[in-house]
Amino acid sequence: MSTFKAPKGTYDLLPPDSAKFLAVREAIAAPLRNSGYGYIETPGFENVELFARGVGESTDIVTKEMYVFETKGGDRLALRPETTAPVLRAVLEANLHKAGNLPVKVWYSGSQYRYERPQKGRYRHFSQVGAEAIGAEDPALDAELIILADQSYRALGLQNFRILLNSLGDQECRPVYRTALQDFLRGLDLDEETLRRAEINPLRVLDDKRPDVQKQLTGAPLLRDYLCDACKAYHEEVRELITAAGVVFEDDPKLVRGLDYYTRTTFEFVHDGLGSQSAVGGGGRYDGLSEMIGGPSLPSVGWALGVDRTVLALEAEGIELDIPSATSVYAVPLGEEARRILFAKVTELRKNGVAADFSYGGKGLKAAMKAANRSGARYALVLGERDLADGVVQLKDMESGEQSAIGVNEIVAELESRLG
Ligand code: HAM
């Protein structure tokens, strides 16, 4: 061990487990790529103001969880705690929304940073795959995103997840509800901090996890009963479209999210095998975000799924992903000349697209075959001195144990045909 450890709240992805993470990212990305979403990548840090204005000045993310720093040049930056605001910033900066093809549909994959209290499933560095559809107000777009997230989880084999759905209304109806909720909250027996929150961001109080608070909230007014006709009709259509697609969801009139930019459709994917950190993904519509960061009106919708928690969900359900072995052929040279010849063959195999590895470090036959086994390779190539003299190499099928001699010059063609 070195003097150093991974920082608190972080962990390293190491092989072979890291293959699971790649497979999860791929499983989430595949349906998006298949549905018109283009890949986007933005920097790991942004101007701190982007998040303050975008995610919301009074949110936990902005007030407590951001990694903020000042550069030597005097810029105030923050490691990204989320990627929706950065993606919208990038789209506006590049004028993608003016290219005449709305919505702009993009997906991303990458690290997020939040200074949270670490526990199982909650880290300070974690990874998301996300999708954003920018510049269109259409219930089918909200439905598309929910259906695609559901599809990726199904493709992974997950079953014990639920989709919670709500509408947070718009600029017309939410303020009316906000006032009603505030009036209600002021009459409760709440601690000072919660009362302060009720004044700044009353909807967040609904999300308070403490049982004594939840008990007092039983009779709280629900946004559902305050939605304007346009929001109601919009929400109804989203529900109909995902129902028609066979996606099962639960209406959760108390669902509020930890970010302030949401309007209308909001949803969360929760997994029942994860304990307290049960949200595996979340998202919704953010019709006002563009204007909040100085852009034009661009109604948009998106989600992000947590890769770390999705992997934990797979483990909770005992799902072993079918990850094919990375190596197909493992070459074992015995002696100097064999080493040169087999190394050249391995290089040739790789050029031809055959995944091949090599026994380095002058290992003897026994240790080298052990390594071949561990690599998961289907075939081993063993080249000894007698073989050299005969111009052949021993090709061993690691599954059946069968072994046969083939000509050194036939290696590539033979393995290509056997591996199909
Ligand atoms: P979020 O709900 O903050 O939404 O994060 C989405 C997912 O990221 C969570 O459901 C969870 O799986 C994962 N996650 C969040 N914090 C942590 C953590 N500390 N450790 C491990 N996993 C975590 C957003 O970030 C929005 N930008 C989603 C969105 C996209 N809305 C619209 N477009």
Side-chain angles (χ1 to χ4, degrees):
M1 209 174 90
S2 85
T3 322
F4 302 104
K5 285 187 172 176
K8 185 173 171 190
T10 73
Y11 63 101
D12 303 305
L13 286 184
L14 305 166
D17 277 0
S18 50
K20 246 191 287 184
F21 280 74
L22 287 180
V24 165
R25 289 196 183 112
E26 183 51 36
I28 301 172
L32 296 170
R33 273 199 214 102
N34 197 36
S35 309
Y37 289 77
Y39 180 66
I40 188 168
E41 201 167 312
T42 60
F45 49 79
E46 296 276 350
N47 191 311
V48 67
E49 272 303 302
L50 172 67
F51 299 115
R53 282 209 246 161
V55 175
E57 297 275 10
S58 69
T59 58
D60 281 354
I61 292 180
V62 168
T63 56
K64 299 181 191 156
E65 297 170 4
M66 270 205 298
Y67 285 87
V68 180
F69 60 100
E70 192 171 313
T71 65
K72 293 197 172 84
D75 293 328
R76 296 248 306 152
L77 303 179
L79 298 185
R80 63 177 176 209
E82 66 103 48
T83 299
T84 304
V87 162
L88 189 52
R89 192 270 307 141
V91 165
L92 292 170
E93 187 173 335
N95 281 321
L96 295 188
H97 61 296
K98 289 187 184 158
N101 190 19
L102 293 176
V104 175
K105 300 208 290 187
V106 288
W107 73 275
Y108 55 88
S109 172
S111 296
Q112 318 293 326
Y113 307 85
R114 294 183 194 175
Y115 189 76
E116 296 199 74
R117 206 147 39 78
Q119 66 177 91
K120 189 169 165 84
R122 188 164 71 196
Y123 310 105
R124 291 180 173 176
H125 167 262
F126 60 98
S127 164
Q128 289 180 342
V129 175
E132 314 291 348
I134 293 164
E137 189 184 290
D138 184 338
L141 200 52
D142 308 40
E144 166 177 291
L145 279 159
I146 294 170
I147 293 165
L148 292 175
D150 181 76
Q151 196 184 318
S152 58
Y153 274 0
R154 300 271 167 221
L156 283 166
L158 288 168
Q159 287 181 325
N160 304 338
F161 67 88
R162 291 177 292 132
I163 302 172
L164 311 179
L165 185 69
N166 193 18
S167 171
L168 289 181
D170 64 9
Q171 294 116 302
E172 195 192 316
C173 53
R174 192 162 18 167
V176 182
Y177 170 68
R178 194 176 182 275
T179 308
L181 180 62
Q182 257 167 351
D183 287 345
F184 173 83
L185 294 174
R186 283 184 194 124
L188 301 183
D189 179 23
L190 298 168
D191 60 273
E192 212 148 289
E193 197 195 324
T194 312
L195 281 174
R196 211 172 316 124
R197 187 177 305 148
E199 294 309 313
I200 304 167
N201 199 342
L203 272 74
R204 295 286 305 150
V205 179
L206 295 178
D207 208 25
D208 200 310
K209 300 284 186 291
R210 289 171 296 181
D212 59 308
V213 177
Q214 274 307 321
K215 214 166 128 203
Q216 294 196 66
L217 290 173
T218 318
L222 293 175
L223 185 44
R224 184 169 59 188
D225 303 322
Y226 286 77
L227 291 182
C228 60
D229 288 343
C231 285
K232 239 186 259 171
Y234 194 96
H235 195 56
E236 199 40 50
E237 197 173 343
V238 173
R239 294 174 77 260
E240 277 166 20
L241 286 166
I242 59 180
T243 303
V247 172
V248 181
F249 63 92
E250 296 169 23
D251 291 305
D252 182 353
K254 281 194 178 155
L255 177 73
V256 281
R257 308 250 310 123
L259 307 94
D260 279 352
Y261 48 60
Y262 292 111
T263 52
R264 292 193 168 171
T265 313
T266 44
F267 50 87
E268 219 155 68
F269 283 66
V270 294
H271 193 277
D272 291 324
L274 296 187
S276 66
Q277 302 307 308
S278 61
V280 285
R285 191 153 265 289
Y286 48 95
D287 293 341
L289 179 55
S290 175
E291 283 144 307
M292 279 150 67
I293 63 170
S297 164
L298 277 177
S300 307
V301 56
W303 50 245
L305 304 186
V307 177
D308 310 72
R309 287 186 195 169
T310 304
V311 170
L312 290 174
L314 288 170
E315 283 163 9
E317 289 197 37
I319 297 169
E320 292 281 348
L321 295 181
D322 186 20
I323 297 170
S325 156
T327 304
S328 303
V329 179
Y330 196 92
V332 176
L334 302 170
E336 256 318 293
E337 196 182 342
R339 201 169 76 96
R340 258 187 286 278
I341 292 171
L342 267 195
F343 187 71
K345 286 295 167 194
V346 163
T347 303
E348 200 181 332
L349 281 168
R350 291 171 176 167
K351 273 189 197 154
N352 284 278
V354 177
D357 203 358
F358 189 76
S359 170
Y360 292 100
K363 279 193 270 289
L365 181 61
K366 207 170 149 204
M369 289 313 286
K370 225 181 190 172
N373 236 329
R374 226 177 295 141
S375 78
R378 175 70 199 271
Y379 295 101
L381 287 168
V382 184
L383 185 55
E385 264 168 41
R386 260 243 310 278
D387 302 319
L388 264 178
D390 299 344
V392 297
V393 58
Q394 301 298 323
L395 175 63
K396 183 172 180 187
D397 184 328
M398 302 293 282
E399 243 164 58
S400 67
E402 264 169 57
Q403 189 169 314
S404 55
I406 60 168
V408 169
N409 294 325
E410 295 158 30
I411 290 176
V412 177
E414 177 69 23
L415 283 168
E416 274 186 322
S417 96
R418 285 205 192 201
L419 289 162

